[in-house]
Amino acid sequence: MSDLTDITEPQTRLAPGRPAHRDPNVLRWVAAYTASMVGDTVFFLALSWAAVRNGSPAEAGLVTAVSAVPRALLMLGGGVVADRFGPRKVVIGSDAVRCATVLAVAAVLFATDPGLWLLALLAVVFGIVDAVFMPAVGALPARITAKDQLARVQGMRGLAVRFAAVVGAPLGGLGVAVGGSAAAFTLSGLLIAVSVPLLISVRTREPPADDATAPAPDATAWRDLVAGLRYIRRHRVLGPLMVAIALGDLGFVGPLNVGLTLLADERGWGASGMGWVLAGFGTGAGVAALLLTVRGRLPRAGCVAAGAIIPGAAAIGALAQAPGLPVAVGTAVVVGLLTGLSGAMCGALLQTQSEPAYLGRVTAVGGIVSLGVAPLSMPLSAAAIGVWGTGPVFAVSGAVCALGGVVALCAPGVRRAELPG
């Protein structure tokens, strides 16, 4: 067990016809993913608290944001690593490194107060590992279940993310209250540690050995990267779907982050009111994930993914015009339901339309869009609201988001795309 990258992948024939939510193999993966995500939530809360206690607000903001740089810069390479070495090995190794790093920092914090430099180093390490971890997580479901169950797994993954968001913050706060940042980091490391043996127990299958899309034995990492980008660009579904996802995220991330804070302040809703609106959004998105988990498949998947985002975008614009907090919360539920449904269907289409040999790189490009491009809208939204106010900016953001749906509907491959039956 000293070298996790040498772990032999147990391979198996997946049971035909078994729904993913009743498959112990899939449930072990979901449990591992959930534990890891809850640990992540606790980690970022502990990091923010420790940074605030050890530096100025500007320094704290820099420490909490520094992990995004290596994550964005290295994620495409992480997709190549996941496709070359297999997503299971990469996920296990990544979680083991994250667990060991966080526990080591917790031990140092228990013994002494090293200052901001250690926290910044920890954030950078997390960002580097995340750049490899995230593409591998996206590529793993195709190796653990049948293709017709991938949409259901996407819904289960969405529920895990919602659970982590609801449970992780209170757990992190409890850890800080009991023993400060060191205790919270310890709790985060232990939660991530839970995922490692669960991941080791997950059985996987490899793509067919004669898969023509598999990388050549003498191919370099750079050629693999270029081949993956070319594959996405030429694919009749994946290419336009990536453009639609990028536009949707650009129009969505700004208003639902910094824009919502400014809207709550402008309307006098306060922090509790903003919390209610966020809860409404989370509820709607959770319902969408639950729907996909239960149904497993929705007909005319491409049309649903593209069509749901357009009324969801209209609801984003309407959020700034809500006459009171109850209407805003109700509107947020609609936004979460429609955008959550569209996002889940887009994720399911990425999973089912991609060749397994390219899935790590496809996931990496999707991650770059969401984590590298979309956050650019946050400072732009804040600056624009300062000049024009929330109403016009939310309306423009909704229009950009709707444009993503229009692009998808105008692409015949996306419009006709179906999930496997």
Side-chain angles (χ1 to χ4, degrees), residues 23-409:
D23 185 344
N25 194 49
V26 175
L27 293 177
R28 286 194 296 272
W29 176 80
V30 172
Y33 181 72
T34 302
S36 185
M37 290 299 99
V38 175
D40 272 7
T41 304
V42 174
F43 166 79
F44 283 110
L45 188 147
L47 182 67
S48 300
W49 181 263
V52 168
R53 295 295 299 271
N54 284 274
S56 67
E59 291 171 332
L62 182 62
V63 167
T64 55
V66 74
S67 64
V69 176
R71 186 188 300 122
L73 292 177
L74 301 176
M75 192 174 294
L76 288 177
V80 174
V81 171
D83 286 335
R84 279 201 158 213
F85 297 99
R88 178 177 174 274
K89 292 178 182 177
V90 174
V91 170
I92 292 172
S94 300
D95 260 0
V97 171
R98 297 197 307 167
C99 171
T101 305
V102 174
L103 290 178
V105 170
V108 172
L109 289 176
F110 272 120
T112 184
D113 184 7
L116 285 175
W117 70 268
L118 181 64
L119 300 176
L121 178 62
L122 175 61
V124 169
V125 171
F126 237 71
I128 293 172
V129 178
D130 270 356
V132 180
F133 173 80
M134 297 178 72
V137 164
L140 192 55
R143 311 289 182 99
I144 63 174
T145 191
K147 202 166 188 178
D148 63 347
Q149 294 297 311
L150 287 174
R152 179 171 274 127
V153 172
Q154 191 70 20
M156 297 167 72
R157 184 178 173 184
L159 289 175
V161 171
R162 296 298 157 198
F163 177 83
V166 171
V167 172
L171 277 179
L174 179 62
V176 169
V178 170
S181 299
F185 278 128
T186 301
L187 178 59
S188 171
L190 292 176
L191 285 166
I192 297 173
V194 169
S195 71
V196 176
L198 288 170
L199 287 168
I200 291 173
S201 70
V202 171
R203 303 184 307 276
T204 61
R205 64 176 181 182
E206 287 297 306
D210 59 348
D211 190 350
T213 63
D218 59 345
T220 64
W222 176 254
R223 288 179 180 175
D224 284 351
L225 176 58
V226 173
L229 296 175
R230 186 183 298 119
Y231 170 75
I232 294 170
R233 180 173 58 84
R234 294 177 176 177
H235 199 285
R236 65 187 184 87
V237 176
L238 299 180
L241 195 61
M242 287 295 184
V243 176
I245 291 172
L247 289 169
D249 282 348
L250 277 172
F252 177 81
V253 171
L256 267 298
N257 285 276
V258 64
L260 182 58
T261 302
L262 296 174
L263 178 64
D265 181 65
E266 178 185 288
R267 296 298 182 86
W269 297 338
S272 62
M274 185 180 70
W276 278 108
V277 175
L278 287 173
F281 164 72
T283 299
V287 169
L290 182 62
L291 172 66
L292 198 55
T293 300
V294 173
R295 289 292 302 272
R297 179 182 183 274
L298 296 178
R300 301 182 64 83
C303 283
V304 171
I309 195 61
I310 295 176
I316 290 175
L319 188 61
Q321 307 300 327
L325 182 58
V327 176
V329 173
T331 305
V333 172
V334 175
V335 172
L337 178 63
L338 293 173
T339 59
L341 179 61
S342 176
M345 295 302 288
C346 285
L349 286 171
L350 292 181
Q351 290 278 327
T352 55
Q353 293 289 326
S354 302
E355 294 289 343
Y358 286 107
L359 196 47
R361 283 162 284 180
V362 170
T363 304
V365 172
I368 286 290
V369 167
S370 298
L371 298 173
V373 178
L376 296 176
S377 64
M378 289 193 283
L380 292 176
S381 296
I385 288 173
V387 177
W388 293 293
T390 54
V393 173
F394 271 65
V396 171
S397 297
V400 172
C401 197
L403 183 60
V406 173
V407 167
L409 286 174

